[in-house]
Every structure is written in C-alpha cells, then in structure tokens.
Coordinates of all heavy atoms in Angstrom, one line a residue:
M30 N 235.1 46.9 196.7 CA 233.9 46.2 196.1 C 232.8 47.2 195.8 O 232.3 47.8 196.8 CB 233.5 45.0 197.0 CG 232.3 44.3 196.5 SD 231.8 42.9 197.6 CE 230.6 43.8 198.6
S31 N 232.4 47.3 194.5 CA 231.3 48.1 194.3 C 230.0 47.3 194.3 O 229.9 46.3 193.7 CB 231.4 48.6 192.9 OG 230.3 49.5 192.5
I32 N 229.0 47.8 195.0 CA 227.7 47.1 195.2 C 226.8 47.3 193.9 O 226.3 46.4 193.5 CB 227.1 47.6 196.6 CG1 227.9 47.2 197.7 CG2 225.6 47.1 196.6 CD1 227.4 47.4 199.0
I33 N 226.8 48.6 193.6 CA 226.0 48.8 192.4 C 226.8 48.7 191.1 O 227.8 49.4 191.0 CB 225.2 50.2 192.5 CG1 224.4 50.3 193.7 CG2 224.5 50.6 191.2 CD1 223.7 51.7 193.9
K34 N 226.4 47.9 190.2 CA 227.2 47.7 189.0 C 226.7 48.5 187.8 O 227.5 49.2 187.2 CB 227.2 46.2 188.6 CG 227.9 45.3 189.6 CD 228.0 43.9 189.1 CE 228.7 43.0 190.0 NZ 228.7 41.6 189.6
K35 N 225.4 48.5 187.7 CA 224.8 49.4 186.5 C 223.3 49.5 186.8 O 222.7 48.6 187.3 CB 225.1 48.8 185.2 CG 224.6 47.5 184.8 CD 224.9 47.0 183.5 CE 224.4 45.7 183.2 NZ 224.6 45.2 181.8
P36 N 222.7 50.6 186.3 CA 221.2 50.6 186.3 C 220.6 49.8 185.2 O 221.2 49.6 184.1 CB 221.0 52.1 186.1 CG 222.1 52.7 185.4 CD 223.3 51.8 185.7
V37 N 219.4 49.4 185.4 CA 218.6 48.7 184.3 C 217.7 49.8 183.7 O 216.7 50.2 184.3 CB 217.8 47.5 185.0 CG1 217.0 46.8 183.9 CG2 218.7 46.5 185.7
I38 N 218.0 50.0 182.5 CA 217.2 51.0 181.7 C 216.5 50.3 180.5 O 217.0 50.0 179.5 CB 218.1 52.1 181.1 CG1 218.8 52.8 182.3 CG2 217.2 53.1 180.4 CD1 219.8 53.8 181.9
T39 N 215.2 49.8 180.8 CA 214.3 49.3 179.8 C 213.0 50.0 179.8 O 212.7 50.9 180.6 CB 214.0 47.8 180.2 OG1 213.4 47.8 181.5 CG2 215.3 47.0 180.3
E40 N 212.1 49.7 178.8 CA 210.9 50.3 178.7 C 210.0 50.0 179.9 O 209.3 50.9 180.5 CB 210.2 49.8 177.5 CG 210.7 50.4 176.2 CD 209.9 49.9 175.0 OE1 208.7 49.7 175.2 OE2 210.5 49.7 173.9
K41 N 210.1 48.8 180.4 CA 209.3 48.4 181.6 C 209.7 49.2 182.8 O 208.9 49.6 183.6 CB 209.4 47.0 181.9 CG 208.5 46.4 182.9 CD 208.7 44.8 182.9 CE 207.7 44.1 183.9 NZ 207.8 42.7 183.9
M42 N 211.0 49.3 183.0 CA 211.6 50.0 184.2 C 211.3 51.6 184.1 O 211.1 52.3 185.1 CB 213.1 49.7 184.5 CG 213.2 48.4 185.2 SD 212.1 47.9 186.6 CE 212.4 49.2 187.6
T43 N 211.5 52.0 182.9 CA 211.2 53.5 182.7 C 209.6 53.8 183.0 O 209.4 54.9 183.7 CB 211.5 53.9 181.3 OG1 212.9 53.6 180.9 CG2 211.2 55.4 181.0
D44 N 208.8 52.9 182.6 CA 207.3 53.0 183.1 C 207.2 53.0 184.5 O 206.4 53.7 185.1 CB 206.5 52.0 182.3 CG 205.1 52.2 182.4 OD1 204.6 53.5 182.3 OD2 204.2 51.3 182.6
A45 N 207.8 52.0 185.2 CA 207.8 51.9 186.6 C 208.3 53.1 187.3 O 207.8 53.5 188.4 CB 208.4 50.6 187.1
S46 N 209.3 53.7 186.9 CA 209.9 54.8 187.4 C 209.0 56.1 187.4 O 208.9 56.9 188.3 CB 211.3 55.2 186.9 OG 211.1 55.6 185.5
E47 N 208.2 56.1 186.2 CA 207.3 57.3 186.1 C 206.2 57.1 187.1 O 205.6 58.1 187.5 CB 207.0 57.4 184.6 CG 208.1 58.0 183.8 CD 207.7 57.8 182.3 OE1 206.6 57.4 182.0 OE2 208.6 58.2 181.4
K48 N 205.6 55.9 187.1 CA 204.3 55.6 187.8 C 204.6 55.4 189.3 O 203.8 56.0 190.1 CB 203.7 54.4 187.2 CG 203.0 54.6 185.9 CD 202.2 53.3 185.4 CE 201.7 53.5 184.1 NZ 201.1 52.2 183.7
Y49 N 205.5 54.6 189.7 CA 205.7 54.2 191.1 C 206.9 54.6 191.8 O 207.2 54.3 192.9 CB 205.6 52.7 191.1 CG 204.4 52.1 190.5 CD1 204.5 51.4 189.3 CD2 203.1 52.3 191.0 CE1 203.4 50.8 188.7 CE2 201.9 51.8 190.4 CZ 202.2 51.1 189.2 OH 201.0 50.5 188.7
N50 N 207.8 55.5 191.0 CA 209.1 56.0 191.6 C 210.0 54.9 192.0 O 210.6 54.8 193.0 CB 208.8 56.9 192.7 CG 209.9 57.9 192.9 OD1 210.6 58.2 192.0 ND2 210.0 58.5 194.1
R51 N 210.1 53.7 191.1 CA 210.9 52.6 191.2 C 212.0 52.6 190.3 O 211.8 52.9 189.1 CB 210.1 51.3 191.1 CG 209.2 51.1 192.3 CD 208.4 49.8 192.1 NE 207.5 49.7 193.1 CZ 206.3 49.0 193.0 NH1 206.0 48.4 191.8 NH2 205.4 49.0 193.9
F52 N 213.2 52.1 190.7 CA 214.4 52.1 189.8 C 215.0 50.8 190.0 O 215.1 50.2 191.2 CB 215.4 53.3 190.1 CG 214.7 54.6 189.8 CD1 214.1 55.2 190.8 CD2 214.8 55.2 188.6 CE1 213.5 56.5 190.6 CE2 214.3 56.4 188.3 CZ 213.5 57.1 189.3
A53 N 215.7 50.2 189.0 CA 216.3 48.8 189.1 C 217.7 49.0 188.8 O 218.2 49.8 188.0 CB 215.6 48.0 188.1
F54 N 218.5 48.2 189.5 CA 220.0 48.1 189.4 C 220.4 46.8 189.3 O 219.9 45.8 190.0 CB 220.6 48.8 190.6 CG 220.2 50.3 190.8 CD1 219.2 50.6 191.6 CD2 221.0 51.3 190.0 CE1 218.8 52.0 191.7 CE2 220.6 52.5 190.1 CZ 219.5 52.9 191.0
V55 N 221.5 46.4 188.6 CA 222.3 45.2 188.7 C 223.3 45.4 189.8 O 224.0 46.4 189.8 CB 223.0 44.9 187.3 CG1 223.8 43.6 187.5 CG2 221.9 44.6 186.3
V56 N 223.2 44.5 190.8 CA 224.1 44.6 192.0 C 224.9 43.4 192.2 O 224.8 42.3 191.6 CB 223.1 44.9 193.3 CG1 222.3 46.2 193.1 CG2 222.2 43.7 193.5
D57 N 225.9 43.6 193.2 CA 226.7 42.4 193.4 C 225.9 41.3 194.0 O 225.0 41.5 194.9 CB 227.8 42.9 194.4 CG 228.8 41.8 194.8 OD1 229.3 41.1 193.8 OD2 229.1 41.7 196.0
R58 N 226.2 40.1 193.7 CA 225.4 39.0 194.2 C 225.5 38.7 195.6 O 224.6 38.1 196.3 CB 225.9 37.7 193.4 CG 225.4 37.7 192.0 CD 225.3 36.4 191.3 NE 224.7 35.3 192.1 CZ 224.9 34.0 191.9 NH1 225.7 33.7 190.9 NH2 224.3 33.1 192.5
K59 N 226.6 39.2 196.3 CA 226.7 39.0 197.8 C 226.1 40.1 198.7 O 226.1 40.0 199.8 CB 228.2 38.8 198.1 CG 228.8 37.5 197.5 CD 230.2 37.3 197.9 CE 230.8 36.1 197.2 NZ 232.2 35.9 197.4
A60 N 225.7 41.1 197.9 CA 225.1 42.3 198.7 C 223.7 42.0 199.2 O 222.9 41.4 198.5 CB 225.0 43.5 197.7
N61 N 223.4 42.5 200.5 CA 222.1 42.4 200.9 C 221.3 43.7 200.8 O 221.8 44.7 200.4 CB 222.2 41.9 202.4 CG 222.9 42.9 203.3 OD1 223.0 44.0 203.0 ND2 223.5 42.3 204.4
K62 N 220.1 43.7 201.3 CA 219.2 44.8 201.1 C 219.8 46.1 201.7 O 219.6 47.2 201.2 CB 217.8 44.4 201.5 CG 217.1 43.4 200.7 CD 215.6 43.2 201.2 CE 215.0 42.2 200.2 NZ 213.6 42.0 200.5
I63 N 220.3 45.9 203.0 CA 220.7 47.0 203.8 C 221.9 47.7 203.0 O 222.0 48.9 202.8 CB 221.1 46.6 205.2 CG1 219.9 46.1 205.9 CG2 221.7 47.7 206.0 CD1 220.1 45.3 207.1
E64 N 222.9 46.9 202.5 CA 224.0 47.5 201.7 C 223.6 48.1 200.5 O 224.1 49.2 200.1 CB 224.9 46.3 201.4 CG 225.6 45.7 202.6 CD 226.4 44.5 202.4 OE1 226.3 43.9 201.3 OE2 227.3 44.1 203.3
I65 N 222.6 47.5 199.8 CA 222.1 48.2 198.6 C 221.4 49.6 198.8 O 221.7 50.5 198.1 CB 221.1 47.2 197.9 CG1 221.8 46.0 197.4 CG2 220.4 47.9 196.7 CD1 221.0 44.9 196.9
K66 N 220.6 49.6 199.9 CA 219.9 50.8 200.3 C 220.9 51.9 200.6 O 220.8 53.0 200.2 CB 219.0 50.5 201.5 CG 218.4 51.8 202.0 CD 217.4 51.5 203.2 CE 216.7 52.7 203.8 NZ 215.9 52.4 204.8
K67 N 222.0 51.6 201.4 CA 223.1 52.6 201.7 C 223.9 53.1 200.4 O 224.1 54.2 200.3 CB 224.1 52.1 202.7 CG 223.5 51.8 204.1 CD 224.5 51.2 205.0 CE 223.9 51.0 206.4 NZ 224.8 50.4 207.3
A68 N 224.2 52.0 199.6 CA 224.8 52.5 198.3 C 224.0 53.4 197.5 O 224.6 54.3 196.9 CB 225.2 51.1 197.5
V69 N 222.7 53.1 197.3 CA 222.0 54.0 196.5 C 221.8 55.3 197.0 O 221.8 56.4 196.4 CB 220.5 53.3 196.1 CG1 219.6 54.3 195.5 CG2 220.7 52.0 195.4
E70 N 221.5 55.4 198.4 CA 221.4 56.7 199.1 C 222.7 57.5 199.0 O 222.6 58.7 198.7 CB 221.1 56.5 200.5 CG 219.6 56.0 200.8 CD 219.2 55.7 202.1 OE1 220.1 55.5 203.0 OE2 218.1 55.6 202.5
E71 N 223.9 56.9 199.1 CA 225.1 57.6 199.0 C 225.4 58.1 197.5 O 225.8 59.2 197.3 CB 226.2 56.8 199.5 CG 226.3 56.6 200.9 CD 227.3 55.7 201.4 OE1 228.2 55.2 200.6 OE2 227.4 55.2 202.6
M72 N 225.1 57.2 196.6 CA 225.4 57.4 195.2 C 224.6 58.5 194.6 O 225.1 59.4 193.9 CB 225.5 56.2 194.4 CG 225.9 56.4 192.9 SD 226.0 54.8 192.1 CE 227.4 54.1 192.8
Y73 N 223.3 58.4 194.8 CA 222.4 59.4 194.2 C 221.7 60.4 195.0 O 221.0 61.3 194.6 CB 221.2 58.5 193.4 CG 221.7 57.7 192.4 CD1 221.9 56.3 192.6 CD2 222.1 58.2 191.2 CE1 222.4 55.4 191.5 CE2 222.5 57.4 190.1 CZ 222.7 56.1 190.3 OH 223.2 55.2 189.3
D74 N 222.1 60.4 196.3 CA 221.6 61.4 197.3 C 220.0 61.5 197.4 O 219.5 62.6 197.2 CB 222.2 62.8 197.1 CG 222.0 63.8 198.2 OD1 222.0 63.2 199.4 OD2 221.9 65.0 197.9
V75 N 219.5 60.4 197.6 CA 218.0 60.2 197.7 C 217.7 59.4 198.9 O 218.5 58.8 199.5 CB 217.5 59.5 196.5 CG1 217.6 60.4 195.2 CG2 218.0 58.1 196.3
A76 N 216.4 59.4 199.3 CA 215.9 58.6 200.4 C 215.2 57.3 199.8 O 214.3 57.4 199.0 CB 214.9 59.3 201.3
V77 N 215.6 56.1 200.2 CA 215.1 54.9 199.8 C 214.0 54.4 200.8 O 214.2 54.3 202.0 CB 216.2 53.9 199.7 CG1 215.6 52.5 199.2 CG2 217.2 54.4 198.6
D78 N 212.9 54.1 200.2 CA 211.7 53.5 201.1 C 211.9 51.9 201.2 O 211.8 51.4 202.3 CB 210.4 53.7 200.4 CG 209.8 55.1 200.9 OD1 210.4 55.6 201.8 OD2 208.9 55.5 200.2
S79 N 212.1 51.2 200.1 CA 212.2 49.8 200.1 C 213.1 49.3 199.0 O 213.3 49.9 198.0 CB 210.8 49.1 200.0 OG 210.3 49.4 198.7
V80 N 213.6 48.0 199.3 CA 214.4 47.4 198.3 C 214.0 45.9 198.2 O 213.7 45.2 199.1 CB 215.9 47.4 198.8 CG1 216.8 46.6 197.9 CG2 216.5 48.8 199.0
R81 N 213.7 45.6 196.9 CA 213.4 44.2 196.6 C 214.5 43.6 195.7 O 215.0 44.3 194.7 CB 212.0 44.1 195.9 CG 210.9 44.5 196.7 CD 209.5 44.5 196.2 NE 209.5 45.2 194.9 CZ 208.6 45.1 194.0 NH1 207.7 44.1 194.1 NH2 208.6 45.8 192.9
T82 N 214.9 42.4 196.0 CA 216.0 41.8 195.2 C 215.5 40.5 194.6 O 214.6 39.8 195.1 CB 217.2 41.5 196.0 OG1 216.8 40.6 197.1 CG2 217.8 42.7 196.7
M83 N 216.2 40.1 193.6 CA 216.0 38.8 192.8 C 217.3 38.4 192.1 O 218.1 39.2 191.7 CB 214.8 38.9 191.9 CG 215.1 39.9 190.7 SD 213.7 40.3 189.7 CE 213.0 41.7 190.7
V84 N 217.4 37.1 192.1 CA 218.6 36.5 191.4 C 218.1 36.0 190.0 O 217.3 35.1 190.1 CB 219.3 35.4 192.3 CG1 220.4 34.9 191.4 CG2 219.8 35.9 193.5
C85 N 218.6 36.6 189.0 CA 218.3 36.1 187.6 C 219.2 35.1 187.2 O 220.4 35.4 186.9 CB 218.3 37.4 186.7 SG 217.1 38.6 187.2
I86 N 218.7 33.9 187.1 CA 219.6 32.8 186.7 C 220.1 32.8 185.2 O 219.2 33.0 184.4 CB 218.9 31.4 187.1 CG1 218.5 31.4 188.5 CG2 219.8 30.2 186.7 CD1 219.5 31.5 189.5
G87 N 221.3 32.4 185.0 CA 221.7 32.4 183.6 C 221.1 31.2 182.8 O 220.6 30.2 183.3
K88 N 220.8 31.5 181.5 CA 220.1 30.5 180.7 C 221.1 29.9 179.7 O 222.0 30.6 179.2 CB 218.9 31.2 179.9 CG 217.9 31.7 180.9 CD 216.9 32.5 180.2 CE 215.9 33.1 181.1 NZ 214.9 33.9 180.3
K89 N 220.8 28.6 179.2 CA 221.7 28.0 178.3 C 221.2 28.5 176.9 O 220.1 28.7 176.6 CB 221.4 26.5 178.3 CG 222.2 25.7 177.4 CD 221.8 24.2 177.6 CE 222.4 23.3 176.6 NZ 222.0 21.9 176.7
R90 N 222.3 28.8 176.0 CA 222.1 29.3 174.8 C 222.9 28.4 173.8 O 224.0 28.0 174.1 CB 222.6 30.7 174.5 CG 221.9 31.7 175.4 CD 220.5 32.0 174.9 NE 219.9 33.2 175.7 CZ 218.6 33.1 176.0 NH1 217.9 32.1 175.5 NH2 218.1 34.0 176.7
V91 N 222.3 28.1 172.6 CA 222.9 27.3 171.6 C 222.8 28.0 170.2 O 221.8 28.6 170.0 CB 222.3 25.9 171.5 CG1 222.8 25.1 170.4 CG2 222.2 25.2 172.8
R92 N 223.9 28.0 169.6 CA 223.9 28.7 168.2 C 224.7 27.8 167.3 O 225.7 27.1 167.7 CB 224.5 30.1 168.2 CG 225.9 30.3 168.6 CD 226.3 31.7 168.7 NE 227.6 31.9 169.2 CZ 228.7 32.0 168.5 NH1 228.6 32.0 167.1 NH2 229.9 32.1 169.0
G93 N 224.3 27.8 166.0 CA 225.1 26.9 165.0 C 226.2 27.7 164.4 O 226.0 29.0 164.1
S94 N 227.2 27.1 164.0 CA 228.3 27.7 163.2 C 228.8 26.7 162.2 O 228.3 25.6 162.1 CB 229.4 28.1 164.2 OG 230.1 27.0 164.7
K95 N 229.8 27.1 161.5 CA 230.4 26.1 160.4 C 231.0 24.8 161.1 O 230.9 23.9 160.5 CB 231.5 26.9 159.7 CG 230.9 27.9 158.6 CD 232.1 28.5 157.9 CE 231.5 29.6 156.9 NZ 232.7 30.1 156.2
S96 N 231.5 25.1 162.3 CA 232.1 23.9 162.9 C 231.1 23.1 163.8 O 231.6 22.1 164.4 CB 233.3 24.4 163.8 OG 232.8 25.3 164.8
G97 N 229.9 23.4 163.8 CA 228.9 22.7 164.6 C 228.1 23.6 165.6 O 228.3 24.9 165.5
M98 N 227.6 22.9 166.5 CA 226.8 23.7 167.5 C 227.6 24.1 168.6 O 228.5 23.4 169.2 CB 225.6 22.8 168.0 CG 224.8 22.2 167.0 SD 223.8 23.5 166.1 CE 222.6 24.0 167.2
I99 N 227.5 25.5 169.0 CA 228.2 26.0 170.1 C 227.2 26.2 171.2 O 226.2 26.9 171.1 CB 228.9 27.3 169.7 CG1 229.9 27.1 168.6 CG2 229.5 28.1 170.9 CD1 230.4 28.4 168.0
V100 N 227.6 25.6 172.4 CA 226.7 25.7 173.6 C 227.4 26.8 174.6 O 228.6 26.6 174.8 CB 226.5 24.3 174.2 CG1 225.7 24.4 175.4 CG2 225.9 23.3 173.3
G101 N 226.6 27.6 175.0 CA 227.1 28.5 175.9 C 226.0 28.8 177.0 O 224.9 28.2 177.1
K102 N 226.3 29.7 178.0 CA 225.4 30.1 179.0 C 225.5 31.6 179.3 O 226.6 32.2 179.3 CB 225.7 29.4 180.3 CG 224.8 29.5 181.4 CD 225.2 28.6 182.5 CE 224.1 28.7 183.7 NZ 224.7 29.1 184.9
T103 N 224.4 32.3 179.5 CA 224.4 33.7 179.8 C 224.7 33.8 181.4 O 224.6 32.8 182.1 CB 223.1 34.3 179.6 OG1 222.1 33.7 180.4 CG2 222.7 34.2 178.2
A104 N 225.2 35.0 181.8 CA 225.6 35.1 183.2 C 224.5 35.1 184.2 O 223.4 35.7 183.8 CB 226.5 36.4 183.2
T105 N 224.7 34.8 185.4 CA 223.8 34.9 186.5 C 224.0 36.2 187.2 O 225.2 36.5 187.4 CB 223.9 33.7 187.4 OG1 223.6 32.5 186.7 CG2 223.0 33.9 188.6
Y106 N 223.0 36.9 187.5 CA 223.1 38.2 188.1 C 222.1 38.5 189.2 O 221.1 37.9 189.1 CB 223.3 39.5 187.1 CG 222.0 39.5 186.2 CD1 221.1 40.5 186.6 CD2 221.9 38.8 185.1 CE1 219.9 40.7 185.8 CE2 220.7 39.0 184.3 CZ 219.8 39.8 184.6 OH 218.6 40.0 183.9
K107 N 222.4 39.4 190.0 CA 221.3 39.9 191.0 C 220.8 41.2 190.7 O 221.6 42.1 190.3 CB 222.0 39.9 192.4 CG 221.0 40.2 193.5 CD 221.7 39.9 194.9 CE 220.7 39.9 196.0 NZ 221.4 39.6 197.3
K108 N 219.5 41.4 190.7 CA 218.8 42.6 190.4 C 218.1 43.1 191.6 O 217.4 42.4 192.4 CB 217.9 42.5 189.2 CG 217.2 43.6 188.7 CD 216.6 43.5 187.3 CE 215.6 42.4 187.3 NZ 214.9 42.4 186.0
A109 N 218.2 44.5 191.9 CA 217.5 45.1 192.9 C 216.5 46.2 192.4 O 216.9 46.9 191.6 CB 218.5 45.7 193.9
I110 N 215.3 46.1 192.9 CA 214.4 47.1 192.5 C 214.2 48.1 193.8 O 213.7 47.5 194.8 CB 212.9 46.5 192.0 CG1 213.2 45.7 190.8 CG2 211.9 47.6 191.9 CD1 212.0 45.0 190.3
V111 N 214.4 49.3 193.6 CA 214.5 50.3 194.7 C 213.3 51.3 194.5 O 213.2 51.8 193.6 CB 215.8 51.0 194.6 CG1 215.9 52.0 195.8 CG2 216.9 50.0 194.8
T112 N 212.5 51.3 195.6 CA 211.4 52.3 195.6 C 212.0 53.5 196.5 O 212.4 53.4 197.6 CB 210.2 51.8 196.3 OG1 209.8 50.6 195.6 CG2 209.0 52.8 196.2
L113 N 211.9 54.8 195.8 CA 212.3 56.0 196.5 C 211.2 56.7 197.2 O 210.0 56.4 197.0 CB 212.9 56.9 195.4 CG 214.0 56.5 194.6 CD1 214.5 57.5 193.7 CD2 215.2 56.0 195.5
A114 N 211.6 57.5 198.2 CA 210.6 58.2 198.9 C 209.9 59.3 198.0 O 210.4 59.6 196.9 CB 211.3 59.0 200.0
E115 N 208.8 59.7 198.5 CA 207.9 60.6 197.6 C 208.7 61.9 197.5 O 209.3 62.5 198.4 CB 206.6 61.0 198.4 CG 205.6 61.7 197.5 CD 205.0 60.9 196.6 OE1 204.9 59.6 196.8 OE2 204.6 61.4 195.5
G116 N 208.9 62.4 196.2 CA 209.6 63.7 195.9 C 210.9 63.4 195.4 O 211.6 64.4 194.9
D117 N 211.6 62.3 195.7 CA 212.9 62.0 195.2 C 212.8 61.3 193.8 O 211.9 60.7 193.5 CB 213.6 61.1 196.1 CG 214.1 61.7 197.5 OD1 214.1 63.0 197.3 OD2 214.4 61.1 198.4
S118 N 213.9 61.5 193.0 CA 214.0 61.0 191.7 C 215.4 60.8 191.3 O 216.2 61.5 191.9 CB 213.3 61.8 190.6 OG 213.3 61.2 189.4
I119 N 215.7 59.9 190.4 CA 217.1 59.7 189.9 C 217.0 60.0 188.4 O 216.2 59.4 187.7 CB 217.6 58.2 190.1 CG1 217.6 58.0 191.5 CG2 218.9 58.0 189.4 CD1 218.0 56.5 192.0
D120 N 218.0 60.8 187.9 CA 218.0 61.1 186.4 C 219.3 60.4 185.9 O 220.4 60.9 186.1 CB 218.1 62.6 186.2 CG 218.0 63.0 184.7 OD1 217.7 62.1 184.0 OD2 218.3 64.1 184.4
F121 N 219.1 59.3 185.1 CA 220.2 58.6 184.6 C 220.8 59.3 183.3 O 221.9 59.1 183.0 CB 219.8 57.2 184.2 CG 219.4 56.3 185.3 CD1 218.2 55.7 185.4 CD2 220.3 56.1 186.4 CE1 217.8 54.9 186.5 CE2 220.0 55.3 187.5 CZ 218.7 54.7 187.5
Y122 N 219.9 60.2 182.7 CA 220.4 60.8 181.5 C 221.0 62.3 181.7 O 221.3 62.9 180.7 CB 219.2 61.0 180.5 CG 218.6 59.6 180.3 CD1 217.3 59.3 180.9 CD2 219.1 58.7 179.5 CE1 216.7 58.1 180.7 CE2 218.4 57.4 179.3 CZ 217.3 57.2 179.9 OH 216.7 56.1 179.6
S123 N 221.4 62.5 182.9 CA 222.0 63.9 183.2 C 223.4 64.1 182.5 O 223.8 65.2 182.3 CB 221.9 64.2 184.6 OG 222.7 63.3 185.3
N124 N 224.1 62.9 182.4 CA 225.5 63.0 182.1 C 225.7 62.9 180.5 O 226.9 63.0 180.0 CB 226.3 61.9 182.7 CG 226.4 62.1 184.1 OD1 226.2 63.2 184.7 ND2 226.6 61.0 184.9
I125 N 224.6 62.8 179.8 CA 224.7 62.6 178.4 C 224.9 63.9 177.6 O 224.3 64.9 177.9 CB 223.4 61.9 177.7 CG1 223.4 60.4 178.4 CG2 223.5 61.8 176.3 CD1 222.2 59.6 178.0

C-alpha cells in the first residue's frame, strides 16, 4: 500500500512552498499523520515539522449529451499539507 499517491502542483501550492516551505500531496484515505510524515521523510529525505490533513469530498457533476443528461460524481480524496524543517526543500521538477 502506497501512502503518497501524487503531489499537488498548483499555483497556490507553488506559492506556499516558496513562502512557507509547505508541500501538498494526495494520500491514501486510511493514512494518518504519523504514517504520512514517515512516508514523506523516507521518499524525499527531508525533515517534516508538521502535517495537516483534509478529506476533499467528491462533487456531483452533470453534463448534457445527445441521449440526455449524464449525472456523475468526482472522486473523494484525502490531501495532506506538509511543512518541512528550515533549510529542507523538495524539487518535483528534477526528473523532467
């Protein structure tokens, strides 16, 4: 079971990473803060100060097509915002 699924790379999180040394990840819904902290420290070889988590609930989406209205739902996921220790950083673009 992989705890960290993918990093969240948006304008808002890029700004937070530059100003406050915070990074966001989509994580497994059953993972707790201690497991997330250990996974980030092992994967990126950094020291984690704090972890904040939130569950983003899926939303209902409706779109029209030739056969009528199609009703669907976006996925529910858990997001973790990790604050790193002073001097540590994560470079997501190093493999490009």
Side-chain angles (χ1 to χ4, degrees):
M30 180 179 91
S31 178
I32 294 187
I33 298 175
K34 294 185 178 179
K35 63 180 181 178
V37 177
I38 302 173
T39 60
E40 288 183 29
K41 188 174 184 178
M42 284 314 304
T43 303
D44 190 42
S46 66
E47 292 171 358
K48 287 183 182 177
Y49 307 112
N50 210 17
R51 292 182 185 147
F52 298 90
F54 300 94
V55 175
V56 296
D57 184 43
R58 288 202 43 205
K59 296 180 181 178
N61 59 29
K62 292 182 180 187
I63 297 167
E64 293 172 342
I65 294 168
K66 179 178 178 178
K67 287 180 184 177
V69 170
E70 287 176 343
E71 289 176 7
M72 186 176 285
Y73 294 104
D74 195 29
V75 293
V77 175
D78 274 349
S79 67
V80 177
R81 295 184 299 164
T82 60
M83 63 193 84
V84 176
C85 301
I86 305 297
K88 298 176 184 172
K89 182 179 172 184
R90 299 287 186 216
V91 179
R92 65 183 172 96
S94 67
K95 288 182 180 179
S96 61
M98 301 302 278
I99 298 173
V100 179
K102 187 176 181 235
T103 60
T105 300
Y106 60 95
K107 187 172 192 175
K108 184 163 60 172
I110 298 178
V111 178
T112 304
L113 300 182
E115 193 70 32
D117 285 341
S118 181
I119 297 174
D120 185 17
F121 294 124
Y122 304 107
S123 62
N124 295 337
I125 297 176

